[in-house]
Amino acid sequence: MKVTRRDLLVWSAGAAAGLMVTPVPWKLLDDISIWSQNWGWIPQPSHGPVDVKQSFCTLCPRGCGIKVRMAGGWPVGIAGSATHPVNRGALCPLAFGAHQLNWDPKRLRAVRHHGNPASWEDARAAFAKCCNEGPVVIVDGHPGRAASVVLEKFAVNRGGQYRVVDSTETDALRPYEKWSGVPASELGYDLENAQTIVSFGTPLLDGWGIPGQFTRLWAEQAAGQNDPQLRLIQVESELSRTAARAWQWVPIHAGAESALASGIARVLLEEKLVAARGPVPLMTLAEVAIQTGLSPDAIRDLTRSIMAQRPVVAVANDADPAIAALNVLLGAVGAPGGIVRRSKSSTLQVVADSVIPNARAVLLDSTVPWDFVPKTDAEVFRFAAWDAGLSKADWLLPAPGFLEDLTDIPSAPSLPVDTYAVAPNLVRAPHPVQNAAQFLASVNSSLPTVEQIIHARCDNLFRSRAGRLSGLQPTPVTSFASCQKLEEELRNGGVWMAEPLTESFRCELKQWPDPFVSSRPEGWSTSWTSGVLPPLASKLYQESNLRDARERRNA
Ligand code: SF4
C-alpha cells in the first residue's frame, strides 16, 4: 500500500486527537507524580497546624522584617512584615524563597578538610592546635551582632585580631571615619530630610539600602512631579532604572564619578557657593571635562542646580573619597539631611581587605561573603551553610541555614537611627551544624553565649528607658514593666528604635583626596553573600528582566 504525505499528516492529527482523549498519558503523569512523592530524598511538605511567625531576614545586614508561614513547624512561605518600621512589608527577591535555601543541593552537610570528609572533632583539634601555635584572625561579615562580640573576644583573648567585611553602604561611609574619628558603623544617611540627593551611580531606586525605604520616600515626595520637594540627580554612565526615574540624569563617562565630584567641588569654591573653605581639588575644570565628557559650562550648570534646593547630600556606591570630600564641602556631614551619627556605642573596626600578616589561622564567619578570599597564607577555617564551590578554605564547617540560628539584628548600615531586633531560630537544621560562636566557645569555655549577650543587651535597653518598640502601636520603652516583657516583645518580632541623635560632629578635610578607582563588583544580587540563590530569585528574577542586570544594560 502506498502511504502519501497527506496520509501521514492525517494519521498524526488523528493520533494527537486520540492522545488528548485517551486517559493513558494523564494516568501516566498521575502515576509519576505519586512515585516521585514517595522518593525519600525529596523534601516533603509538612502536614500540621499552619502558623505565622514574625521574624527577620538574616541573609544580609539589612535585617528586613518578615512574616514566616509555618506548616507543621517548618517554614513554607515568606512575606514582608508590614509592621517593620523600615521595610514596612517590602522585601528583596532573595528573601521570598529563602526558606527553600535550606534544601539547596549545595547545602554543606558535613565538615570537609581539603575537600575530604572530616569530623567536628578533627576541625576543633586542628583549630585548637593553630591557636596554641600563633595568632588567630577572625573575620565577620555582619558586625555588631551578639555573635560578633564572641568572635571579637576570642580573637583579642588569643592576641589575634578581629576584622570585618564591609557592606556596600558601610564601605561608602569609611572616608568620613578617617576624617572625623567617628566609626563608619555609627554613621547613616538622613535622606528623609534631604532636598537634593546627588547619587553617583548608586542604585537608589533599584535595591540600594533597605527594600522599600527609598522608593517609598521617592513615591511620597517626588515621583511624577516636575518640581519635586526631593530632587534626585543621578550621575551615571548608563540609563539605569534609577537614572530613568530620577529628576535629572547626568550621563558621564564610565568611571569618571571621582573626577566629576572634584569638578563640582572646584566650582563650589570658585563661585563661593558654599560657606566653608576647603582644599581645592588639583584637577582643573578642563581636565574634569575631558574625563567626564561634560563641558565646563555643563559642570557649572550642574553645580548651580545642585545648590538650588538644600540640604544636599551626595551618595556614593563605594568608598570614593572625592564624593565624601564633596559632602564635607557641602556641609552635609554631621548635619540634618546628610551623613549623620546614629549611635555612640561602637569602636573603630579593622577592615578585612588588607593583607593578614603573621597569622597562624584565619576563621571566616558564615556571614562573610562566599567570594571573599583572605590575603593570607595561614590555615583558613570557613563556616558556611552552602558550599558554592571554588573555595580556597582549608576547612569547610557547616553552619546553620536560614532561620536555623538565634541571632540579633543591629542597625542596618544606611539607617540614620539605631535599631535593634532579635531573630529566633524557628527551625532545626537537618544535620549537625555549629555557628562560629559555638565553635569558639568549645575551644574557650569562658566566652559568653549569644543567648547571654542578647539578654544583656535587652537588659541595657530596658534600663536606658530610651526609644520605643515599633509594631502596630509603637510602645515607649518606659511603658514596659520588666526587661523580661521587653525581651519577649523583641523575640516576637518587635523592633526597638532609638530617638535620632541631634548633635553634630566635626569632619575635617586637610587635602583633596587622590583619584580613586572602584573595585566593587556591582550586581543586583551583590548583597547576597552566600554564593547560592533561592530558586525563585535565580529563575524568575534573573530571567524575567524584573531588574536590569548590568550585563543586560550593556548588551
Ligand atoms: S535586603 Fe537583605 S535582609 Fe532585606 S530581604 Fe533582602 S536579603 Fe533579606
Side-chain angles (χ1 to χ4, degrees):
M1 188 180 84
K2 191 176 168 220
V3 179
T4 64
R5 187 166 165 272
R6 186 168 182 282
D7 292 334
L8 272 176
L9 285 172
V10 169
W11 184 85
S12 319
L19 266 178
M20 292 300 290
V21 175
T22 175
V24 173
W26 315 117
K27 177 77 176 89
L28 277 174
L29 271 178
D30 197 28
D31 286 351
I32 289 168
S33 316
I34 293 166
W35 295 335
S36 60
Q37 277 168 25
N38 290 330
W39 290 340
W41 50 272
I42 289 190
Q44 299 294 311
S46 308
H47 295 276
V50 174
D51 192 10
V52 175
K53 304 237 185 233
Q54 294 283 339
S55 190
F56 301 90
C57 175
T58 51
L59 297 182
C60 85
R62 293 164 192 154
C64 300
I66 54 173
K67 283 189 300 187
V68 188
R69 193 175 160 82
M70 311 276 292
W74 291 94
V76 292
I78 308 281
S81 166
T83 56
H84 190 280
V86 189
N87 71 299
R88 289 197 269 158
L91 291 180
C92 83
L94 296 170
F96 288 108
H99 58 296
Q100 296 159 349
L101 281 168
N102 289 349
W103 304 103
D104 193 289
K106 289 184 179 157
R107 185 79 200 259
L108 181 61
R109 292 170 199 281
V111 175
R112 302 196 74 78
H113 181 223
H114 294 146
N116 302 315
S119 68
W120 279 106
E121 286 65 39
D122 297 335
R124 195 170 297 111
F127 185 71
K129 182 168 174 286
C130 291
C131 291
N132 291 332
E133 289 173 357
V136 172
V137 172
I138 299 187
V139 184
D140 188 358
H142 293 188
R145 299 164 300 144
S148 310
V149 175
V150 181
L151 307 190
E152 185 168 7
K153 270 187 190 298
F154 185 95
V156 172
N157 286 351
R158 294 277 169 169
Q161 201 179 40
Y162 168 77
R163 294 188 174 200
V164 299
V165 177
D166 279 343
S167 65
T168 321
E169 293 94 345
T170 308
D171 189 38
L173 293 166
R174 283 283 168 209
Y176 309 102
E177 174 180 287
K178 208 161 96 196
W179 302 330
S180 68
V182 178
S185 54
E186 291 190 349
L187 298 173
Y189 295 91
D190 181 20
L191 298 184
E192 302 235 343
N193 289 310
Q195 298 222 344
T196 301
I197 298 171
V198 190
S199 153
F200 286 85
T202 313
L204 282 179
L205 290 169
D206 197 26
W208 181 85
I210 295 184
Q213 187 193 9
F214 186 74
T215 41
R216 198 171 289 115
L217 185 68
W218 181 249
E220 286 163 6
Q221 298 196 5
Q225 299 173 35
N226 285 336
D227 188 15
Q229 198 182 333
L230 173 64
R231 291 179 174 177
L232 172 60
I233 298 175
Q234 183 73 7
V235 176
E236 196 167 2
S237 58
E238 300 152 358
L239 184 62
S240 66
R241 210 170 280 251
T242 302
R245 292 176 195 173
W247 179 71
Q248 187 185 355
W249 170 41
V250 183
I252 60 164
H253 293 160
E257 289 82 3
S258 209
L260 183 60
S262 305
I264 295 171
R266 182 169 267 281
V267 178
L268 286 173
L269 292 167
E270 279 177 8
E271 298 194 5
K272 298 191 173 45
L273 295 173
V274 284
R277 296 295 309 163
V280 183
L282 290 178
M283 207 180 267
T284 65
L285 216 50
E287 288 167 338
V288 174
I290 292 168
Q291 284 208 20
T292 58
L294 299 177
S295 69
D297 281 347
I299 298 167
R300 286 187 193 284
D301 288 347
L302 172 64
T303 310
R304 289 177 205 129
S305 149
I306 286 171
M307 296 305 284
Q309 191 169 285
R310 286 179 263 179
V312 184
V313 64
V315 183
N317 207 23
D318 48 32
D320 190 332
I323 299 171
L326 177 62
N327 267 331
V328 177
L329 208 58
L330 288 166
V333 185
I339 313 289
V340 292
R341 186 173 195 166
R342 61 161 180 252
S343 68
K344 285 178 154 190
S345 52
S346 51
T347 49
L348 294 178
Q349 293 160 334
V350 182
V351 182
D353 291 346
S354 54
V355 174
I356 301 175
N358 308 326
R360 176 62 184 85
V362 174
L363 184 142
L364 306 179
D365 185 57
S366 61
T367 53
V368 172
W370 180 260
D371 56 6
F372 174 82
V373 181
K375 293 175 187 151
T376 180
D377 49 12
E379 196 162 347
V380 176
F381 294 76
R382 211 233 194 271
F383 279 83
W386 299 274
D387 177 0
L390 297 176
S391 168
K392 290 201 179 134
D394 298 279
W395 292 85
L396 283 180
L397 306 164
F402 189 62
L403 302 175
E404 289 176 352
D405 204 13
L406 165 73
T407 180
D408 54 352
I409 316 273
S411 323
S414 59
L415 281 186
V417 288
D418 236 3
T419 61
Y420 186 70
V422 179
N425 49 329
L426 297 181
V427 278
R428 258 185 312 131
H431 50 268
V433 292
Q434 277 183 37
N435 59 40
Q438 288 164 334
F439 181 77
L440 294 176
S442 70
V443 179
N444 176 356
S445 57
S446 70
L447 290 171
T449 64
V450 166
E451 180 84 43
Q452 287 166 339
I453 298 167
I454 290 177
H455 180 68
R457 288 180 165 187
C458 292
D459 196 44
N460 282 344
L461 289 183
F462 177 71
R463 285 174 198 281
S464 74
R465 316 298 283 162
R468 62 189 194 283
L469 234 71
S470 72
L472 285 176
Q473 290 294 325
T475 317
V477 170
T478 46
S479 306
F480 284 90
S482 66
C483 167
Q484 193 191 351
K485 280 270 165 225
L486 177 73
E487 191 168 340
E488 232 172 73
E489 283 289 314
L490 284 168
R491 285 177 184 254
N492 285 323
V495 180
W496 174 82
M497 286 195 88
E499 295 304 329
L501 287 185
T502 47
E503 64 193 85
S504 184
F505 59 93
R506 280 173 69 84
C507 187
E508 276 184 39
L509 188 61
K510 296 215 165 59
Q511 63 180 51
W512 193 261
D514 293 332
F516 172 84
V517 180
S518 173
S519 58
R520 266 208 176 256
E522 191 224 358
W524 65 268
S525 62
T526 39
S527 61
W528 173 232
T529 55
S530 287
V532 293
L533 288 170
L536 180 75
S538 50
K539 292 300 281 178
L540 176 78
Y541 208 71
Q542 276 184 324
E543 292 171 12
S544 64
N545 200 17
L546 279 173
R547 181 176 296 187
D548 268 351
R550 178 172 272 271
E551 317 78 62
R552 200 176 285 133
R553 274 191 258 139
N554 287 339

